[in-house]
Amino acid sequence: MSKYHPVIGLEVHVELATQSKMFCGCPADHFAVSPNTQTCPVCLGLPGALPVPNKKAVEWTMMLGLALDCKVNLESKFDRKHYFYPDLPKGYQISQYDAPLCGVGKLGKIRIRRVHLEEDTGKLQHTTLNGKKVSLVDFNRSGVPLVEVVTEPDLTSALEAEKFARELQLIIRYLGISDADMEKGSMRLEANISLATSEVAKLPGYKVELKNINSFGFMKKAIGVEIKRQEEILSSGKKVTQETRGYSEETGKTFSQRTKEEEQDYRYFPEPDIPPMKYSNKQINELSNKIPELPNVKREKLKKLGLSVNYVEVLVADRSRAEYFEQALRQAQGKLAEPAKLIASVMVNQNLDQDFPEPAGLIRKLIELGKRKYVQVDEVEKVVQVVLKENGKAVQDYSKGKKEVLGFLIGQVQAGLKGQGNPRQIQEILVNSLSDDQN
Amino acid sequence: MPMAKLKKSDVEHVAKLANLTLSQKELTQYTKQLEAVLDYMDVLNELDTSAVEPTYQILDDTKNIFREDKVQSSLTQDDALSSAKDTYNGFFVAADVFGSKKEKNIPEKATSRIKLDQYNAILTKANPEGNLGHKDLFVTKGIETTAGSRVLAGYLPQYDGTVVKLLKDAGYVTKYKLNQDAWGHGASGENSDFGPTKNPWDMSKVSGGSSSGSAVAVATGVVELATATDTCGSVRMPASYTNVCGIKPTYGAVSRYGVIAFASSLDCPSLISSTVTKLRKYFQIIYKGDPLDATSQSKARSEHVDKKVKKLGIPREFISEGIDKETREIFLKATEIYKSLGYEIVDISLPHTKYGVAAYYIIAPTETASNLSRYDGVRYGHPRSFFGPEAKRRIMLGTFASSAGYVGRYYEKAARARTLIKSDLAKAFEKVDAIVAPVSPIPPYDIGEKVNDPLQLYLMDVYAAPASLSGVPSLALPCGFTNSGLPTGMQIFGPRWSEGALFDLGEKYQAKTDWHKKKPKV
């Protein structure tokens, strides 16, 4: 065991799946769209343009906060965060500073510090034109609503961080507010990592911010190698530099991007173009009522049905499948024996739900299959005796060792049962009867 | 607690935060000037604001202004890219973000601009058949819009602002784009990057600013109506100095969408015309809430009913110290007209008047430093090196006042002082129905006389600040001439949404006087 204890906090950015952008009417879905075809005076930062906030984005942010047990702030506002970069058209980002929409909350054991709403930046591509290095800018993404979830530094391992991020993604998908796709960039992670010398010690006096993580797998790896890197530095008696580091998928290592000496002064101040937001407890309750059953509740419900952890996780990982399962289960009551396990089994192992868009269809199919299975044994035995009597030649051939006639006999029994027999049961009874004959 | 000496390295740090590259000469100059201004700002430390909430917006408690989540049409790619210097395959081309700072700041050569009229009031001639002049802060689709700054020289906007559209729909066609102090930064009209606007009553005098071209175009009769803006006197000052009428509306009464932002919590799109009656008529066209401006949607607009005006107050702080003797006499004589019309004139106090300029020159530069951040020369316009000296000064001042370690001392302190100034007016309006006051402490002065002393110029805004910081409307109208034949104006301000009452008062005054009928020899 290492003598160091990792202290990890996450900052998660999620693009909301609203129709329009945060402060203007341009389409928000910018994936695989020609550059600069979804911009307007507002999101292009043209002179004289003004922002008007998207109501749905504000409500969705509060719903995410509520889903994370956050205290929703009854009074909130937007602020300007200033820095210069060519993908930031106004030279400031409209974000939230000291009155975020949602304050402290928790997800499992991990405390949430805040959930706030801001706007995304444009996208840069770096290339060389006429022998000169340049940055190409596309503003389609500029102004897309972006929620930021910030945790307290409560995470202690790469695995725990990964689990947290996956669960957050699942909650976001259950809320239907974003596809939270890491590969597409609609969910982005930053991890603040440092090492403490004891579990109870105060926070270490530095932190390394890890950026450019675009899959859960890389996140786990990146945090892992960063922890190792810091361990080596500390073990050799040196100090870890406070800085921002990236993760290279090629080398599998983290690398320095910016040291904190150049730390930005964002000069936040209240956004004068947007009136404040004020909500009543009644309005918050109304939003609360719009929140669907969340993964953890669903998980507990499915576990109580006696399903295995594997089945539960596969079903809960997709809200629509989990709901399909529950509907199917309701419809199967009284019609199928041990319906939960049966439905879960055919969904998880055979993807049978894909063949039946409506749960009712799946249930009909299962009942049909179930009926065949449960044709009475004495019925099978009766037909077997009849078939054996009528096919003396075949019985003789069998006793001479010509075992292949068994298939013919099974077919005869099945025909006698109008196809409702359990093939294995028929075979068992036939073989028993034939050996009885021989004795 | 006196301000510690400002070091050159502090100024260098602020310049870096503001993304400005300053020469050694500029650094030395700004260090000195900023120090003088900041020294003056410390007057705010006289105020105990520990129990005072800061005021960042004046909105009658307007809250939760949203748009529904609906897609609206975007610009075409061609339109989006149309003003960019450099594009490639549908992308904007910016300097390499990993490249060195030096490479990015190769200054371009500024082109000189041909003067279109003897007063330098006109920046662009749009349509000879037109009947309307726009201050060059108003964004006009396809018509060059510069904000009086070289940064935007040649910029052809992709859209019309709301006021421009409303006037267009009412049949007003843009004839001219008019000169102004660049970005609205100035009270004299001398801070235009394209040269000062001259006063038609005396070509050696300033015309007042920042809406200098708008006032001069109306004064000289080339248009009957001009748009303008008033952030802290930018309509009232030039109206007063050129003998025309101007209305600075209630903050939020007129949409700011498509008016290039100077200081967002103070900017009021405004109008200038030759009589109050005309102003009243034109004002109806633009007096509307706008879904594109979240700060224009106060419910108080529709709930307001003008009270019958009986009592007018004169703030004693405006006529005691620092006012030119002749200006004071002219103003007091003007108030006699109201007495003769049966109004009661009472002495009132706006005790925080002297803090107005300090609060304003922290709040407005902070907001302007932010609003001018978008000018990076990538999507339109020229690089930041094209900003003129006053814009750079205000960007530096505002960046400093809102920077880490100073925001509490300056920006927040000013916002608290703003609350006190606002409550001065609220208390005054419990006693009187409107306030009459001079516009400027002194008559028009010589062009160039004060340019090297920014603080002296800033102090010209002392009578404009209370109405601006409180977001109340103020009507400026001519009220007499000095012995040397220079015009003098007065202002009447009332509670928020009282424009109707102000127009009534203005019309009554103009029915009894003919100052507004006097025209300069053109």
Side-chain angles (χ1 to χ4, degrees):
Chain A
M1 260 313 266
S2 160
K3 59 175 177 169
Y4 298 109
H5 301 269
V7 178
I8 304 167
L10 291 180
E11 286 171 28
V12 185
H13 284 94
V14 177
E15 278 184 350
L16 294 179
T18 47
Q19 296 292 307
S20 63
K21 290 187 180 180
M22 186 59 230
F23 297 112
C24 63
C26 287
D29 184 4
H30 56 87
F31 193 66
V33 172
S34 301
N36 297 303
T37 53
Q38 295 184 169
T39 69
C40 74
V42 178
C43 58
L44 209 48
L46 294 188
L50 296 171
V52 183
N54 183 329
K55 188 177 182 185
K56 185 167 263 178
V58 171
E59 290 181 352
W60 279 2
T61 304
M62 289 195 282
M63 281 168 66
L64 176 57
L66 288 165
L68 298 173
D69 278 337
C70 289
K71 188 179 163 290
V72 172
N73 286 324
L74 298 182
E75 295 192 13
S76 183
K77 66 182 166 77
F78 287 103
D79 299 277
R80 292 185 181 179
K81 176 184 181 178
H82 298 85
Y83 64 95
F84 288 93
Y85 215 61
D87 64 6
L88 188 68
K90 298 187 293 296
Y92 57 84
Q93 180 189 34
I94 304 177
S95 180
Q96 298 196 278
Y97 182 51
D98 53 355
L101 281 164
C102 310
V104 291
K106 63 179 192 310
L107 173 52
K109 279 190 272 178
I110 310 306
R111 289 171 299 157
I112 306 290
R113 184 177 294 171
R114 59 189 278 152
V115 178
H116 75 248
L117 182 55
E118 58 190 28
E119 55 178 340
D120 211 344
T121 63
K123 261 186 177 167
L124 293 181
Q125 272 179 40
H126 310 290
T127 187
T128 303
L129 290 183
N130 307 320
K132 211 175 128 195
K133 280 188 173 173
V134 293
S135 299
L136 302 179
V137 206
D138 169 16
F139 289 101
N140 285 342
R141 195 178 70 176
S142 164
V144 169
L146 198 62
V147 167
E148 182 173 342
V149 177
V150 184
T151 76
E152 293 296 337
D154 288 351
L155 299 148
T156 55
S157 70
L159 182 67
E160 199 182 4
E162 189 204 348
K163 273 176 73 178
F164 173 88
R166 282 190 190 275
E167 188 65 10
L168 180 62
Q169 181 192 54
L170 195 54
I171 290 172
I172 289 161
R173 289 180 174 174
Y174 266 56
L175 292 171
I177 62 175
S178 172
D179 62 4
D181 186 326
M182 298 269 290
E183 277 75 18
K184 269 166 65 183
S186 54
M187 177 163 166
R188 290 167 236 157
L189 299 172
E190 287 161 38
N192 289 305
I193 305 167
S194 51
L195 299 185
T197 44
S198 90
E199 242 170 317
V200 288
K202 276 189 292 182
L203 288 180
Y206 73 95
K207 63 183 181 187
V208 172
E209 194 177 337
L210 207 54
K211 285 192 167 178
N212 298 358
I213 312 172
N214 46 23
S215 81
F216 291 121
F218 285 129
M219 172 184 171
K220 208 167 99 182
K221 277 188 212 159
I223 294 177
V225 298
E226 178 58 22
I227 289 173
K228 216 165 187 187
R229 188 187 72 89
Q230 293 186 19
E231 268 174 11
E232 282 166 16
I233 294 172
L234 293 174
S235 302
S236 66
K238 289 184 201 142
K239 276 188 173 173
V240 179
T241 314
Q242 170 134 329
E243 61 184 344
T244 300
R245 296 180 72 85
Y247 175 69
S248 162
E249 294 168 12
E250 282 127 49
T251 63
K253 285 184 177 162
T254 66
F255 59 92
S256 179
Q257 282 186 324
R258 189 182 57 168
T259 58
K260 281 281 171 178
E261 276 139 50
E262 305 156 41
E263 196 170 17
Q264 298 267 13
D265 176 0
Y266 292 121
R267 297 184 294 113
Y268 282 99
F269 70 76
E271 167 56 275
D273 290 331
I274 303 176
M277 294 171 278
K278 289 181 189 170
Y279 285 89
S280 65
N281 283 314
K282 189 171 161 260
Q283 287 169 306
I284 305 288
N285 284 339
E286 278 164 13
L287 283 176
S288 217
N289 291 337
K290 286 189 193 169
I291 294 177
E293 197 167 77
L294 293 171
N296 210 27
V297 177
K298 206 130 262 185
R299 209 175 263 130
E300 291 310 313
K301 271 169 79 178
L302 298 197
K303 274 186 193 159
K304 272 188 194 146
L305 294 169
L307 299 183
S308 71
V309 174
N310 174 43
Y311 280 8
V312 171
E313 286 311 314
V314 173
L315 292 175
V316 169
D318 182 335
R319 178 183 160 190
S320 60
R321 277 189 103 190
E323 285 175 356
Y324 182 102
F325 169 81
E326 290 179 316
Q327 277 182 42
L329 186 60
R330 271 195 296 279
Q331 293 175 18
Q333 291 307 324
K335 297 177 189 161
L336 289 172
E338 289 203 68
K341 279 183 193 157
L342 178 64
I343 297 167
S345 155
V346 299
M347 284 179 73
V348 173
N349 299 324
Q350 295 166 267
N351 290 329
L352 264 193
D353 50 324
Q354 310 289 322
D355 299 343
F356 301 95
E358 293 301 321
L362 177 73
I363 298 306
R364 272 196 299 278
K365 177 74 180 173
L366 289 179
I367 290 169
E368 197 181 309
L369 290 171
K371 269 185 192 155
R372 285 189 192 172
K373 211 184 237 173
Y374 293 105
V375 158
Q376 301 295 316
V377 183
D378 43 353
E379 182 73 10
V380 179
E381 282 171 346
K382 246 190 257 169
V383 178
V384 166
Q385 294 315 315
V386 174
V387 168
L388 290 181
K389 262 182 206 156
E390 284 174 0
N391 295 281
K393 169 98 174 43
V395 174
Q396 276 173 18
D397 286 351
Y398 183 87
S399 61
K400 281 177 195 158
K402 230 178 152 184
K403 306 287 183 205
E404 57 269 31
V405 296
L406 189 61
F408 164 77
L409 291 171
I410 292 172
Q412 292 300 303
V413 176
Q414 197 63 286
L417 289 167
K418 298 195 176 92
Q420 307 268 315
N422 179 345
R424 205 182 299 156
Q425 204 175 34
I426 297 172
Q427 184 175 343
E428 260 171 45
I429 295 171
L430 263 176
V431 171
N432 283 338
S433 304
L434 286 166
S435 43
D436 284 352
D437 281 359
Q438 280 176 331
N439 296 336
Chain B
M1 186 173 61
M3 176 72 203
K5 263 239 171 288
L6 202 58
K7 290 194 292 276
K8 225 176 176 181
S9 61
D10 298 332
V11 179
E12 268 173 334
H13 170 69
V14 172
K16 202 175 157 195
L17 277 180
N19 200 18
L20 290 175
T21 310
L22 300 181
S23 67
Q24 281 306 312
K25 197 181 146 208
E26 284 174 312
L27 270 176
T28 311
Q29 193 189 16
Y30 290 150
T31 307
K32 215 174 85 197
Q33 289 175 339
L34 285 180
E35 197 169 72
V37 171
L38 289 167
D39 216 32
Y40 175 77
M41 299 312 181
D42 279 335
V43 69
L44 293 179
N45 289 333
E46 293 172 6
L47 294 172
D48 177 9
T49 52
S50 51
V52 182
E53 286 293 312
T55 296
Y56 294 112
Q57 293 172 301
I58 309 268
L59 296 169
D60 316 299
D61 292 324
T62 303
K63 57 182 192 283
N64 298 351
I65 301 296
F66 298 117
R67 24 176 294 279
E68 292 300 321
D69 181 28
K70 290 213 175 80
V71 171
Q72 271 149 359
S73 60
S74 298
L75 295 173
T76 63
Q77 190 187 59
D78 284 349
D79 277 348
L81 300 174
S82 62
S83 289
K85 203 159 291 166
D86 200 0
T87 65
Y88 175 76
N89 272 354
F91 291 93
F92 291 93
V93 178
D96 175 31
V97 291
F98 302 116
S100 79
K101 191 101 178 132
K102 260 201 177 125
E103 281 169 47
K104 289 183 221 167
N105 277 302
I106 303 159
E108 295 170 53
K109 233 185 146 191
T111 48
S112 62
R113 200 178 180 93
I114 298 159
K115 302 239 184 317
L116 298 179
D117 65 307
Q118 58 172 324
Y119 310 108
N120 197 26
I122 299 165
L123 288 180
T124 302
K125 289 185 173 174
N127 182 345
E129 307 292 311
N131 49 2
L132 164 69
H134 281 300
K135 185 178 186 177
D136 219 20
L137 281 180
F138 286 74
V139 166
T140 43
K141 189 174 180 178
I143 303 170
E144 187 182 358
T145 298
T146 68
S149 169
R150 284 215 171 92
V151 170
L152 281 181
Y155 172 56
L156 300 178
Q158 295 96 318
Y159 76 109
D160 274 331
T162 298
V163 167
V164 170
K165 213 179 252 174
L166 288 171
L167 287 166
K168 206 183 241 183
D169 292 347
Y172 294 89
V173 178
T174 308
K175 189 176 186 184
Y176 301 126
K177 295 304 291 292
L178 299 166
N179 202 2
Q180 58 164 100
D181 288 296
W183 311 106
H185 297 162
S188 68
E190 295 167 283
N191 290 333
S192 167
D193 290 352
F194 308 115
T197 310
K198 293 173 182 166
N199 194 319
W201 294 90
D202 179 343
M203 298 276 279
S204 69
K205 304 287 180 192
V206 300
S207 56
S210 67
S211 309
S212 54
S214 302
V216 170
V218 172
T220 55
V222 298
V223 287
E224 192 183 77
L225 169 67
T227 57
T229 62
D230 192 313
T231 303
C232 189
S234 281
V235 156
R236 290 165 280 168
M237 190 64 97
S240 163
Y241 277 11
T242 61
N243 209 48
V244 293
C245 308
I247 178 73
K248 166 227 164 332
T250 299
Y251 177 83
V254 176
S255 172
R256 292 183 293 119
Y257 190 79
V259 180
I260 296 176
F262 162 12
S264 311
S265 79
L266 294 147
D267 291 346
C268 296
S270 309
L271 296 177
I272 290 178
S273 192
S274 53
T275 70
V276 172
T277 304
K278 284 178 188 170
L279 263 189
R280 166 179 280 209
K281 180 182 84 176
Y282 297 130
F283 185 64
Q284 290 315 310
I285 303 169
I286 62 167
Y287 180 71
K288 284 184 175 70
D290 179 7
L292 297 175
D293 176 0
T295 60
S296 74
Q297 298 173 44
S298 169
K299 283 199 193 95
R301 176 202 302 270
S302 56
E303 287 159 6
H304 182 82
V305 185
D306 275 329
K307 263 198 334 193
K308 182 115 179 70
V309 174
K310 288 179 202 144
K311 255 192 204 174
L312 302 176
I314 299 175
R316 72 182 76 121
E317 292 81 3
F318 283 42
I319 52 166
S320 43
E321 282 170 57
I323 187 166
D324 166 73
K325 198 168 158 250
E326 208 180 353
T327 305
R328 185 175 186 269
E329 273 165 22
I330 292 166
F331 165 70
L332 288 175
K333 221 169 143 190
T335 64
E336 294 296 322
I337 301 285
Y338 281 113
K339 254 185 221 165
S340 73
L341 285 165
Y343 291 94
E344 191 186 341
I345 309 280
V346 297
D347 163 63
I348 58 162
S349 172
L350 301 176
H352 295 95
T353 299
K354 79 176 224 197
Y355 305 105
V357 168
Y360 171 74
Y361 274 97
I362 291 170
I363 294 167
T366 297
E367 292 183 16
T368 209
S370 173
N371 286 327
L372 298 186
S373 299
R374 67 184 61 197
Y375 301 97
D376 61 2
V378 174
R379 289 146 295 135
Y380 47 79
H382 303 282
R384 294 177 75 73
S385 55
F386 275 53
F387 277 120
E390 184 60 20
K392 284 184 184 169
R393 200 148 38 226
R394 295 202 192 194
I395 292 171
M396 294 290 291
L397 179 56
T399 304
F400 181 79
S402 56
S403 65
Y406 294 97
V407 63
R409 180 175 182 145
Y410 293 105
Y411 183 58
E412 279 173 26
K413 183 80 184 179
R416 289 177 208 278
R418 187 177 186 178
T419 307
L420 296 174
I421 291 159
K422 201 179 103 182
S423 73
D424 274 1
L425 278 188
K427 280 178 202 154
F429 290 132
E430 285 169 11
K431 275 207 232 159
V432 298
D433 305 308
I435 293 170
V436 284
V439 167
S440 168
I442 56 169
Y445 42 92
D446 286 347
I447 291 173
E449 189 185 320
K450 296 177 192 292
V451 284
N452 291 320
D453 193 347
L455 185 57
Q456 284 313 305
L457 276 169
Y458 295 172
L459 291 171
M460 292 291 109
D461 293 339
V462 60
Y463 301 154
S468 287
L469 290 166
S470 311
V472 305
S474 182
L475 173 71
L477 63 164
C479 71
F481 285 81
T482 63
N483 287 332
S484 49
L486 293 171
T488 301
M490 67 169 166
Q491 58 174 333
I492 313 168
F493 43 111
R496 281 172 65 74
W497 313 103
S498 68
E499 283 87 346
L502 302 185
F503 287 137
D504 285 346
L505 283 166
E507 283 185 327
K508 282 185 181 145
Y509 181 82
Q510 292 194 331
K512 285 278 178 190
T513 58
D514 55 7
W515 303 116
H516 60 288
K517 290 179 187 155
K518 300 199 185 305
K519 305 286 175 207
K521 286 192 200 90
V522 181

PDB file of all heavy atoms in Angstrom, chain B residues 96-108:
ATOM      1  N   ASP B  96      -2.299  32.078 -34.452  1.00  0.00           N
ATOM      2  CA  ASP B  96      -2.037  30.815 -33.748  1.00  0.00           C
ATOM      3  C   ASP B  96      -2.055  31.053 -32.242  1.00  0.00           C
ATOM      4  O   ASP B  96      -1.307  31.870 -31.723  1.00  0.00           O
ATOM      5  CB  ASP B  96      -0.665  30.311 -34.195  1.00  0.00           C
ATOM      6  CG  ASP B  96      -0.262  29.058 -33.428  1.00  0.00           C
ATOM      7  OD1 ASP B  96      -1.167  28.294 -33.047  1.00  0.00           O
ATOM      8  OD2 ASP B  96       0.939  28.865 -33.227  1.00  0.00           O
ATOM      9  N   VAL B  97      -2.948  30.337 -31.538  1.00  0.00           N
ATOM     10  CA  VAL B  97      -3.063  30.585 -30.092  1.00  0.00           C
ATOM     11  C   VAL B  97      -1.817  30.151 -29.325  1.00  0.00           C
ATOM     12  O   VAL B  97      -1.592  30.586 -28.216  1.00  0.00           O
ATOM     13  CB  VAL B  97      -4.305  29.897 -29.467  1.00  0.00           C
ATOM     14  CG1 VAL B  97      -5.568  30.547 -29.954  1.00  0.00           C
ATOM     15  CG2 VAL B  97      -4.313  28.411 -29.746  1.00  0.00           C
ATOM     16  N   PHE B  98      -1.019  29.299 -29.938  1.00  0.00           N
ATOM     17  CA  PHE B  98       0.203  28.872 -29.256  1.00  0.00           C
ATOM     18  C   PHE B  98       1.393  29.749 -29.634  1.00  0.00           C
ATOM     19  O   PHE B  98       2.473  29.591 -29.100  1.00  0.00           O
ATOM     20  CB  PHE B  98       0.518  27.408 -29.581  1.00  0.00           C
ATOM     21  CG  PHE B  98      -0.604  26.486 -29.210  1.00  0.00           C
ATOM     22  CD1 PHE B  98      -1.287  25.762 -30.188  1.00  0.00           C
ATOM     23  CD2 PHE B  98      -1.004  26.366 -27.888  1.00  0.00           C
ATOM     24  CE1 PHE B  98      -2.331  24.926 -29.840  1.00  0.00           C
ATOM     25  CE2 PHE B  98      -2.054  25.522 -27.528  1.00  0.00           C
ATOM     26  CZ  PHE B  98      -2.716  24.806 -28.512  1.00  0.00           C
ATOM     27  N   GLY B  99       1.166  30.664 -30.583  1.00  0.00           N
ATOM     28  CA  GLY B  99       2.264  31.505 -31.049  1.00  0.00           C
ATOM     29  C   GLY B  99       2.619  32.566 -30.018  1.00  0.00           C
ATOM     30  O   GLY B  99       1.911  32.763 -29.043  1.00  0.00           O
ATOM     31  N   SER B 100       3.703  33.267 -30.262  1.00  0.00           N
ATOM     32  CA  SER B 100       4.112  34.286 -29.290  1.00  0.00           C
ATOM     33  C   SER B 100       3.231  35.513 -29.456  1.00  0.00           C
ATOM     34  O   SER B 100       2.664  35.766 -30.508  1.00  0.00           O
ATOM     35  CB  SER B 100       5.576  34.649 -29.487  1.00  0.00           C
ATOM     36  OG  SER B 100       5.686  35.533 -30.577  1.00  0.00           O
ATOM     37  N   LYS B 101       3.123  36.263 -28.388  1.00  0.00           N
ATOM     38  CA  LYS B 101       2.282  37.453 -28.319  1.00  0.00           C
ATOM     39  C   LYS B 101       2.720  38.475 -29.378  1.00  0.00           C
ATOM     40  O   LYS B 101       1.904  39.144 -29.985  1.00  0.00           O
ATOM     41  CB  LYS B 101       2.423  38.024 -26.918  1.00  0.00           C
ATOM     42  CG  LYS B 101       1.449  39.086 -26.582  1.00  0.00           C
ATOM     43  CD  LYS B 101       0.322  38.540 -25.727  1.00  0.00           C
ATOM     44  CE  LYS B 101      -0.606  39.701 -25.371  1.00  0.00           C
ATOM     45  NZ  LYS B 101      -1.969  39.499 -25.563  1.00  0.00           N
ATOM     46  N   LYS B 102       4.001  38.579 -29.575  1.00  0.00           N
ATOM     47  CA  LYS B 102       4.553  39.585 -30.500  1.00  0.00           C
ATOM     48  C   LYS B 102       4.008  39.403 -31.903  1.00  0.00           C
ATOM     49  O   LYS B 102       3.568  40.354 -32.532  1.00  0.00           O
ATOM     50  CB  LYS B 102       6.075  39.505 -30.512  1.00  0.00           C
ATOM     51  CG  LYS B 102       6.697  40.575 -29.637  1.00  0.00           C
ATOM     52  CD  LYS B 102       8.140  40.828 -30.031  1.00  0.00           C
ATOM     53  CE  LYS B 102       8.694  41.953 -29.162  1.00  0.00           C
ATOM     54  NZ  LYS B 102       9.909  41.570 -28.466  1.00  0.00           N
ATOM     55  N   GLU B 103       4.032  38.175 -32.354  1.00  0.00           N
ATOM     56  CA  GLU B 103       3.583  37.900 -33.720  1.00  0.00           C
ATOM     57  C   GLU B 103       2.146  38.350 -33.927  1.00  0.00           C
ATOM     58  O   GLU B 103       1.769  38.753 -35.011  1.00  0.00           O
ATOM     59  CB  GLU B 103       3.640  36.400 -33.994  1.00  0.00           C
ATOM     60  CG  GLU B 103       5.020  35.874 -34.298  1.00  0.00           C
ATOM     61  CD  GLU B 103       5.023  34.354 -34.277  1.00  0.00           C
ATOM     62  OE1 GLU B 103       4.112  33.770 -34.888  1.00  0.00           O
ATOM     63  OE2 GLU B 103       5.910  33.781 -33.630  1.00  0.00           O
ATOM     64  N   LYS B 104       1.340  38.238 -32.825  1.00  0.00           N
ATOM     65  CA  LYS B 104      -0.083  38.518 -32.965  1.00  0.00           C
ATOM     66  C   LYS B 104      -0.376  40.002 -33.069  1.00  0.00           C
ATOM     67  O   LYS B 104      -1.429  40.400 -33.505  1.00  0.00           O
ATOM     68  CB  LYS B 104      -0.834  37.944 -31.750  1.00  0.00           C
ATOM     69  CG  LYS B 104      -0.899  36.449 -31.746  1.00  0.00           C
ATOM     70  CD  LYS B 104      -1.718  35.998 -30.566  1.00  0.00           C
ATOM     71  CE  LYS B 104      -1.091  34.786 -29.917  1.00  0.00           C
ATOM     72  NZ  LYS B 104      -1.668  34.512 -28.620  1.00  0.00           N
ATOM     73  N   ASN B 105       0.564  40.828 -32.607  1.00  0.00           N
ATOM     74  CA  ASN B 105       0.249  42.248 -32.524  1.00  0.00           C
ATOM     75  C   ASN B 105       1.028  43.121 -33.499  1.00  0.00           C
ATOM     76  O   ASN B 105       1.579  44.140 -33.148  1.00  0.00           O
ATOM     77  CB  ASN B 105       0.455  42.739 -31.097  1.00  0.00           C
ATOM     78  CG  ASN B 105      -0.766  42.441 -30.246  1.00  0.00           C
ATOM     79  OD1 ASN B 105      -1.863  42.875 -30.576  1.00  0.00           O
ATOM     80  ND2 ASN B 105      -0.562  41.675 -29.198  1.00  0.00           N
ATOM     81  N   ILE B 106       1.082  42.680 -34.727  1.00  0.00           N
ATOM     82  CA  ILE B 106       1.711  43.522 -35.737  1.00  0.00           C
ATOM     83  C   ILE B 106       0.706  44.628 -36.068  1.00  0.00           C
ATOM     84  O   ILE B 106      -0.364  44.360 -36.602  1.00  0.00           O
ATOM     85  CB  ILE B 106       2.029  42.707 -37.003  1.00  0.00           C
ATOM     86  CG1 ILE B 106       2.916  41.511 -36.631  1.00  0.00           C
ATOM     87  CG2 ILE B 106       2.703  43.577 -38.050  1.00  0.00           C
ATOM     88  CD1 ILE B 106       2.892  40.394 -37.642  1.00  0.00           C
ATOM     89  N   PRO B 107       1.015  45.870 -35.681  1.00  0.00           N
ATOM     90  CA  PRO B 107       0.009  46.912 -35.885  1.00  0.00           C
ATOM     91  C   PRO B 107      -0.216  47.205 -37.368  1.00  0.00           C
ATOM     92  O   PRO B 107       0.733  47.263 -38.141  1.00  0.00           O
ATOM     93  CB  PRO B 107       0.592  48.120 -35.151  1.00  0.00           C
ATOM     94  CG  PRO B 107       1.950  47.747 -34.705  1.00  0.00           C
ATOM     95  CD  PRO B 107       2.257  46.364 -35.136  1.00  0.00           C
ATOM     96  N   GLU B 108      -1.475  47.332 -37.703  1.00  0.00           N
ATOM     97  CA  GLU B 108      -1.788  47.735 -39.071  1.00  0.00           C
ATOM     98  C   GLU B 108      -1.719  49.250 -39.113  1.00  0.00           C
ATOM     99  O   GLU B 108      -1.785  49.916 -38.107  1.00  0.00           O
ATOM    100  CB  GLU B 108      -3.213  47.329 -39.429  1.00  0.00           C
ATOM    101  CG  GLU B 108      -3.443  45.856 -39.470  1.00  0.00           C
ATOM    102  CD  GLU B 108      -4.931  45.574 -39.589  1.00  0.00           C
ATOM    103  OE1 GLU B 108      -5.553  46.125 -40.504  1.00  0.00           O
ATOM    104  OE2 GLU B 108      -5.464  44.843 -38.739  1.00  0.00           O
TER     105      GLU B 108
END
